[in-house]
Amino acid sequence: MPRSALVLAAFFVLLLGGLSARAQPSAPVSERRLAAVRVEQAPRVDGVLDDDIWRRIPFTSDFLQKEPEQGKPSSLRTEVAFVYDAEALYVGARMASDKPEDIETVMTRRDESGSAERLIISLDTYRDRRTAYSFAVTAAGVRVDWYHPQDHEYVRDSSYSPVWEARTTQTPEGWVAELRIPFSQLRFNAAEEQVWGLNINRYIPRRNEDAFWVVVPRDVTGWASHFGELTGIRGVAPSRRIEVVPYLAGDLQAVSGANPRAGTPFESRRSYSGRAGLDAKIGLGPNLTLDATVNPDFGQVDADPAQVNLTVFENFFEERRPFFTEGGQLLNNSSGYGPVYFYSRRVGGAPRLSARADFVESPRASTIWGAAKLTGRLSSGLSLGALGAFTGDAFADTYDFASGTQDRVKLDSRTGFGVLRAQQELGPGGSVVGATLTTMYRHIGDGQGLTRQLAREAYSGGADFRLRLGTDYFISGYAGGSLVRGDPEAITRLQESSARYFQRPDQTYVGVNPEATSLSGYAVGAKVERVSGEHWLWNASANALSPGFELNDLGRLNTADDLDVNLGLTYRETNPGRLLRNWELGLSAASNWNYGLTRQSSYLELTGSATFPNFWAGEFRVTYLPRAFSDSLTRGGPLMQTGQGVDGEVILENSFNDTTRWNVSGGAWAYELGTRGGFVSASLTLQLHRRLRLGLEPSASLYTEGVQYVDTLAGGRAETFGKRYVFGAVQRREVALRLRANLFLSPDLSIEAYAEPFASSGSFSGFGELERAGGLTLRRYDSSSRLADGGLELVDGGTTLRLDDPDFNLRSFRSNVVLRWEWRPGSTLFLVWQQDRSRGSAQGNPLSPRFLGDSLTSPGGHTFALKLSWWFPAG
């Protein structure tokens, strides 16, 4: 790490010592208490509450509304009690209703509550007044759980996936729920008596009512700090947790439509495969958990949505793989402010390089040989997260039709990854200080090949803090650095990448060093914000990423060489009025410069949102962007001015309490040089039966990008440093239709289908080249013509230019059908059918209704998979 970054990190740590004493507010602790009763014989978890213990102990029933009338008693009676034995905590609850037939009992998948009525138990087992586990059960018996990594009611980590039980029954008076939460699925400190934070929530959608045992006011940002207490749990020690989940899986692949392998050696390749693997969870002491996986399988995970990317920046997708989602918040800065040092999809993702040939068959993902993860929180308030993973070599099979030559090209080498995150809590107010370190080592070897274009080793990390000042304010900051080492070819590739473009000819503060074997940089930033208050909220931040800062071997970074300043101001009303239940208006502004102090972008943005008396909600955004100078539009060439313009967006959705859910959104924009367009999208979820749900998400866009980069050619004028930076106006049409169908046969057995026909086209015209460095306009060419061999011919005076035709017309269809059966707690059977079809040169307009049929008939493959896992709690 550079010395300057280390000095800044040390400064921030010293700053904490001065601020921590006055940064801790007095926590708003509730005086409510509820005692759990010890039992020798555990109640039967059947949702009936006919065990003798439930008749003998008192139930709490004093619940207050947060919605719709904050502070008033709940309109329906709710009774809850707790008992425990040596193994588990048991919850018994009775939810009264004046019309039991109106109770929402729609069935959903595990970890999804939909519009069903539900009961939620939240436990702050460390009694740290900042973190909590939540266990919810719907009136249909569906279990939902999540983790609150910070003192915020709506910041939830849904990757928390404990094994627990719940049953519900309908009664003439309402419904009844019974829960069993094993102590082995909770983390808590060893003590003779456990005193846990507690809150209980009953959500009644048909009344738009949210009732709590302890209400956190609408204008307050908080959660566990307001909890009451659950007492009386004695003689319970954190368990020695050992869980083993082996699996068996098999695939069968088939080809539909025109077979691209026809006439190649791949045609006869085996179409079936089998594999086995193991997941394990081991408790290390009372507070730490080791998760390990060998040859993990993620065949049941949904495919990423189709996209066409004409920018220079990488697309980043959501992590869906269970091993990486669970506990993932402990491997990253939980405040979300600062660099993303760890992007889990780097591990086992698609190879970073590509091969060129008439036919290329590349893997969609690298093979993960094994991975291990250590997570937990010590009694001192120190949270730890560590991850190590190893992936294997990745190859592409290529075939040349003219020569009949088959080859195997290496796209990536076996690689080791490491991540370490430590975060210390300071006092009871939500203040934390943390540090992150990541490392990557790629076993490239001494031979030549494509993998010599990749870094051999990479290190990154830094320190960060988030301090609470009083009850309403936070101040945050970070300082970090990065170091990448490799062969000169690989480091040159990083210097010339879209993240920095050191080769730009019209700047003097950085430059390409073709002999360099390392690249280093730093990042630093600070932010102050008001997060609670009756009306006014605000924030201000400043950030710097040096030109050599690099994270993309294990983290996530679009651009370095950035200086940013951001300001935001919000006025809100949280108390319901005659016309609106709540509303807010926000005004924000930001500017970005590179280290040469060239302003690359600025914006001024007005936002607003409101909830209406019927709980419908709407949002709008209007953004103005003035002219600036882009150092990336020419893809490594000189600066180019960007046009000023404005864009806006509106969203309207119905109440989240409704069984049928919908939302619509639309946007439009207009900028100088002919950039204009718009989009519309919508979603509709229909609950056709309490066990059957259908979803439709159509979207369409039509726009023209007035200045879209095409290519860089030699033979340019002195005004552009001897090169031609060729641009064109591209008319984009894009349409997609996401379809979902879910059949829930029971809370543990479901069939879920996802399908996405997608079409996108781009038609280029109006070709020209940048007139001068730093200019706004193009010098247009005399003519352009498409050639029969797929090329594009441009005429500029007496000069003829040739390049590849940039037009495209894509069709794709991706689908996933999964039967999921949790045949015993923690053990699951998956049956999967996946389709992946695409055509890169389809004919016709993608906005026409025919795009659906075109995508369905595109060539592609089918994969049929079976996966069976067993959960063995060994201790």
Side-chain angles (χ1 to χ4, degrees):
M1 185 183 298
R3 180 177 299 177
S4 58
L6 288 173
V7 171
L8 287 169
F11 170 76
F12 283 134
V13 172
L14 292 173
L15 177 66
L16 295 177
L19 290 177
S20 60
R22 64 175 179 267
Q24 311 306 326
S26 56
V29 180
S30 169
E31 297 181 356
R32 303 211 67 181
R33 288 180 176 81
L34 183 62
V37 176
R38 177 87 184 220
V39 295
E40 296 304 321
Q41 181 175 354
R44 186 172 61 256
V45 181
D46 54 10
V48 179
L49 299 189
D50 56 353
D51 301 272
D52 182 62
I53 185 62
W54 297 123
R55 300 189 184 96
R56 292 189 287 107
I57 64 173
F59 283 65
T60 186
S61 59
D62 298 328
F63 285 75
L64 300 176
Q65 298 179 39
K66 184 171 184 175
E67 298 290 350
E69 299 181 81
Q70 182 171 289
K72 289 192 174 182
S74 175
S75 63
L76 297 174
R77 185 175 179 82
T78 302
E79 301 177 336
V80 183
F82 294 81
V83 301
Y84 71 99
D85 62 10
E87 302 295 329
L89 178 69
Y90 299 84
V91 185
R94 304 184 186 97
M95 278 63 65
S97 178
D98 52 357
K99 293 182 179 180
E101 65 275 10
D102 290 342
I103 296 173
E104 292 287 1
T105 59
V106 295
M107 193 78 72
T108 55
R109 64 168 296 176
R110 173 78 158 85
D111 280 336
E112 186 179 295
S113 54
S115 60
E117 186 170 323
R118 50 196 175 271
L119 177 78
I120 305 170
I121 307 296
S122 294
L123 301 170
D124 174 9
T125 54
Y126 288 116
R127 200 53 175 135
D128 60 8
R129 297 180 174 86
R130 73 180 76 217
T131 61
Y133 301 98
S134 287
F135 300 84
V137 60
T138 73
V142 177
R143 288 163 293 141
V144 187
D145 41 63
W146 60 87
Y147 175 69
H148 294 268
Q150 55 183 269
D151 185 27
H152 197 302
E153 184 174 353
Y154 305 110
V155 175
R156 301 174 177 181
D157 176 13
S158 298
S159 68
Y160 174 58
S161 186
V163 179
W164 58 290
E165 300 175 61
R167 294 290 183 272
T168 61
T169 57
Q170 306 295 306
T171 68
E173 295 79 26
W175 63 287
V176 174
E178 200 166 9
L179 290 69
R180 181 183 185 271
I181 304 172
F183 292 127
S184 65
Q185 303 301 299
L186 300 171
R187 307 292 175 263
F188 50 90
N189 298 320
E192 176 58 30
E193 179 181 359
Q194 297 292 327
V195 178
W196 295 349
L198 172 67
N199 208 350
I200 309 168
N201 174 205
R202 181 184 177 187
Y203 184 63
I204 310 171
R206 74 179 188 280
R207 291 175 176 246
N208 293 310
E209 183 172 319
D210 218 3
F212 291 82
W213 192 57
V214 177
V215 174
V216 179
R218 298 189 193 106
D219 59 356
V220 171
T221 298
W223 183 234
S225 60
H226 291 70
F227 282 12
E229 290 185 343
L230 179 65
T231 63
I233 302 177
R234 295 181 174 85
V236 173
S239 67
R240 178 174 174 266
R241 306 171 306 280
I242 302 178
E243 302 171 9
V244 180
V245 185
Y247 80 85
L248 294 172
D251 290 345
L252 175 64
Q253 297 182 344
V255 175
S256 291
N259 183 0
R261 292 182 174 183
T264 75
F266 312 138
E267 189 175 10
S268 59
R269 183 172 297 174
R270 189 177 63 180
S271 60
Y272 59 89
S273 63
R275 58 199 176 278
L278 177 74
D279 297 329
K281 191 184 296 286
I282 303 170
L284 302 178
N287 304 104
L288 298 177
T289 300
L290 175 66
D291 291 271
T293 183
V294 178
N295 194 28
D297 175 80
F298 307 113
Q300 74 277 12
V301 176
D302 285 349
D304 294 320
Q307 291 186 1
V308 173
N309 184 6
L310 296 185
T311 74
V312 296
F313 305 116
E314 179 182 359
N315 283 333
F316 296 109
F317 295 101
E318 178 186 1
E319 179 62 87
R320 297 186 178 93
R321 299 170 296 176
F323 176 83
F324 294 100
T325 58
E326 185 174 359
Q329 83 283 347
L330 292 175
L331 295 169
N332 278 302
N333 181 357
S334 60
S335 72
Y337 177 61
V340 180
Y341 294 111
F342 176 53
Y343 173 50
S344 60
R345 294 199 58 162
R346 297 290 184 211
V347 182
R352 304 293 297 278
L353 302 176
S354 58
R356 289 181 175 272
D358 292 334
F359 177 70
V360 179
E361 189 170 78
S362 299
R364 289 187 173 273
S366 302
T367 301
I368 301 177
W369 288 349
K373 178 177 59 179
L374 179 69
T375 56
R377 178 188 177 279
L378 305 181
S379 58
S380 62
L382 177 65
S383 295
L384 294 172
L387 179 139
F390 296 92
T391 60
D393 296 331
F395 296 88
D397 291 318
T398 65
Y399 187 79
D400 183 79
F401 288 106
S403 64
T405 303
Q406 179 185 0
D407 199 4
R408 189 168 173 80
V409 179
K410 192 173 183 180
L411 302 183
D412 209 341
S413 297
R414 56 187 184 274
T415 307
F417 302 90
V419 183
L420 176 63
R421 168 74 182 173
Q423 181 171 287
Q424 177 65 53
E425 299 165 6
L426 303 175
S431 298
V432 296
V433 57
T436 303
L437 176 66
T438 74
T439 179
M440 181 282 305
Y441 181 80
R442 184 175 283 112
H443 190 275
I444 293 178
D446 296 328
Q448 296 294 325
L450 283 177
T451 51
R452 293 182 68 84
Q453 299 179 39
L454 300 175
R456 188 183 305 273
E457 54 188 304
Y459 307 91
S460 67
D464 56 84
F465 66 86
R466 179 172 167 85
L467 299 179
R468 191 162 196 161
L469 307 176
T471 58
D472 297 342
Y473 302 91
F474 275 99
I475 180 172
S476 308
Y478 65 85
S482 67
L483 172 65
V484 181
R485 292 183 176 139
D487 295 334
E489 181 183 14
I491 300 303
T492 298
R493 188 170 182 265
L494 287 177
Q495 294 177 83
E496 296 179 347
S497 73
S498 60
R500 49 193 59 82
Y501 288 135
F502 280 6
Q503 70 272 33
R504 302 192 311 271
D506 57 344
Q507 51 79 33
T508 58
Y509 63 96
V510 291
V512 176
N513 180 359
E515 298 179 356
T517 57
S518 66
L519 180 70
S520 61
Y522 65 87
V524 63
K527 181 179 183 180
V528 60
E529 55 187 329
R530 187 186 189 193
V531 298
S532 292
E534 184 178 3
H535 294 301
W536 291 101
L537 307 177
W538 51 264
N539 66 82
S541 65
N543 313 278
L545 301 179
S546 76
F549 191 60
E550 170 60 26
L551 295 181
N552 284 323
D553 281 293
L554 191 49
R556 190 173 73 191
L557 176 73
N558 269 335
T559 61
D561 193 8
D562 284 333
L563 300 168
D564 299 290
V565 174
N566 301 271
L567 301 170
L569 180 66
T570 299
Y571 182 87
R572 68 178 183 178
E573 179 58 70
T574 60
N575 295 314
R578 185 171 61 88
L579 299 178
L580 298 172
R581 290 199 55 79
N582 58 69
W583 59 273
E584 69 175 43
L585 285 174
L587 184 64
S588 60
S591 282
N592 168 268
W593 298 263
N594 62 25
Y595 269 57
L597 299 183
T598 297
R599 185 172 57 84
Q600 302 176 101
S601 66
S602 296
Y603 73 80
L604 180 65
E605 185 170 270
L606 176 67
T607 60
S609 64
T611 302
F612 303 100
N614 62 354
F615 285 84
W616 286 20
E619 301 177 30
F620 77 88
R621 174 188 59 81
V622 178
T623 307
Y624 168 68
L625 290 92
R627 287 183 178 180
F629 291 91
S630 171
D631 59 11
S632 62
L633 272 180
T634 56
R635 312 286 175 95
L639 291 172
M640 183 174 181
Q641 195 170 13
T642 59
Q644 66 176 339
V646 63
D647 70 67
E649 182 178 0
V650 294
I651 302 172
L652 179 66
E653 62 182 353
N654 70 331
S655 170
F656 53 82
N657 303 311
D658 292 344
T659 302
T660 297
R661 292 295 314 280
W662 58 262
N663 72 63
V664 293
S665 62
W669 55 92
Y671 293 86
E672 290 181 287
L673 303 179
T675 295
R676 61 191 181 280
F679 78 92
V680 292
S681 65
S683 72
L684 175 65
T685 302
L686 300 172
Q687 196 76 42
L688 301 181
H689 183 271
R690 64 180 295 264
R691 298 179 184 272
L692 178 61
R693 186 174 65 202
L694 298 180
L696 298 90
E697 299 176 30
S699 62
S701 62
L702 174 62
Y703 61 94
T704 297
E705 189 71 39
V707 181
Q708 174 65 51
Y709 175 84
V710 177
D711 205 348
T712 298
L713 304 175
R717 299 175 305 137
E719 290 87 345
T720 54
F721 301 92
K723 290 188 177 180
R724 297 175 180 266
Y725 298 96
V726 181
F727 291 81
V730 56
Q731 186 177 60
R732 294 284 306 274
R733 295 183 175 90
E734 193 164 283
V735 61
L737 177 61
R738 296 186 180 95
L739 305 166
R740 301 180 188 272
N742 301 295
L743 176 62
F744 306 101
L745 303 176
S746 77
D748 301 315
L749 177 60
S750 63
I751 301 174
E752 302 173 55
Y754 167 83
E756 185 195 22
F758 171 86
S760 180
S761 73
S763 178
F764 283 76
S765 62
F767 296 96
E769 64 182 63
L770 181 64
E771 189 171 30
R772 60 178 178 83
L776 176 67
T777 58
L778 302 179
R779 189 173 62 81
R780 302 291 178 179
Y781 294 142
D782 298 329
S783 65
S784 64
S785 57
R786 267 75 183 179
L787 304 177
D789 62 0
L792 177 68
E793 187 176 87
L794 305 175
V795 177
D796 178 27
T799 304
T800 300
L801 309 173
R802 179 186 168 91
L803 60 157
D804 293 335
D805 189 350
D807 285 3
F808 61 91
N809 201 356
L810 170 71
R811 303 286 188 273
S812 83
F813 179 77
R814 296 180 179 181
S815 69
N816 202 38
V817 181
V818 180
L819 183 147
R820 180 186 185 277
W821 177 31
E822 189 173 349
W823 51 281
R824 51 176 287 188
S827 301
T828 310
L829 169 70
F830 294 97
L831 292 175
V832 182
W833 171 30
Q834 293 178 331
Q835 287 191 78
D836 189 353
R837 301 169 176 266
S838 64
R839 187 192 304 274
S841 57
Q843 301 299 314
N845 184 342
L847 290 177
S848 72
R850 284 190 54 190
F851 94 93
L852 287 169
D854 291 342
S855 62
L856 290 171
T857 58
S858 298
H862 302 257
T863 300
F864 301 90
L866 180 147
K867 180 180 178 182
L868 181 63
S869 65
W870 298 265
W871 178 68
F872 295 102

